[in-house]
Amino acid sequence: FAPRMGLVWRPADGIAAWFSLARGFRAPETTELYRLQRQQSVADLDSERVDAAELGLRLRGASAGIDLAAFHMDKRDVILRDSAGFNISGGHTSHRGLEYDLDWTFAGDWTLEAAGTFARHEYDFTATVEQGEQITSGNDIDTAPRELHTLRLQYGVKDLAAELEWLFVGGYWANAANTARYPGHDLANLR
């Protein structure tokens, strides 16, 4: 049973606000169910369950728009892969944050777009896993950056289009114990 309930309020043209509650499931993948690992006799895995809430605002004008959404998700019976490549079942995680999407068309053929997220993804359980790696409730989930952003400047007229894009991936922990950190990176693209 995976219900979804939402309310949308449109007080005027170009303005919308929404609130939604949802429950979702993810069945284990074939490799999680049928590929046993060391010291494992049965892959006893349940479907992951996600309970989510979202609150959002959308503003649209003739040449610009803004979308903002705050979210909170709790996941249960999470199947994780530790840094040694072993599946861990029965995990609990919590996810909360803010997403944004902005666009502005100016000078006729130019568009500036920005999108991204500020989020916190954390373990909501404690366990010692294969190879002695320690998962502690309240630690950030490894390889889950708190910030992701993109900024694009686009030019397009008839059959000619060009785009300059900047991508930012914030720093994140490289292991579940939160003792090894990757600093993040920037990437530029010209298309």
Side-chain angles (χ1 to χ4, degrees), residues 104 106 109-114 150-156 161-166 189-191:
W104 174 42
F106 62 98
D109 301 319
W110 291 87
T111 302
L112 185 63
E113 296 177 346
T150 183
L151 181 65
R152 287 185 218 83
L153 178 62
Q154 300 167 331
Y155 175 79
E163 177 180 86
L164 178 61
E165 178 184 49
W166 167 68
N189 294 305
L190 179 60
R191 298 182 183 91

Side-chain angles (χ1 to χ4, degrees), residues 96-178:
R96 61 189 181 278
L98 176 69
E99 296 176 339
Y100 67 91
D101 190 348
L102 314 166
D103 61 83
W104 174 42
T105 301
F106 62 98
D109 301 319
W110 291 87
T111 302
L112 185 63
E113 296 177 346
T117 183
F118 299 93
R120 178 89 194 266
H121 310 279
E122 61 188 3
Y123 293 112
D124 197 13
F125 73 109
T126 299
T128 301
V129 295
E130 189 73 27
Q131 306 293 322
E133 187 171 21
Q134 181 66 40
I135 292 175
T136 303
S137 183
N139 275 5
D140 282 12
I141 295 173
D142 49 296
T143 69
R146 291 188 181 188
E147 291 185 52
L148 296 168
H149 305 286
T150 183
L151 181 65
R152 287 185 218 83
L153 178 62
Q154 300 167 331
Y155 175 79
V157 59
K158 295 189 182 185
D159 294 333
L160 175 66
E163 177 180 86
L164 178 61
E165 178 184 49
W166 167 68
L167 300 164
F168 172 75
V169 175
Y172 55 82
W173 297 105
N175 62 356
N178 287 187

Side-chain angles (χ1 to χ4, degrees), residues 5-20 54-60 68:
M5 177 186 72
L7 296 170
V8 178
W9 178 50
R10 292 185 178 97
D13 285 345
I15 301 174
W18 70 88
F19 175 72
S20 69
E54 184 178 62
L55 179 64
L57 176 65
R58 175 172 291 133
L59 304 172
R60 290 279 169 229
L68 298 171

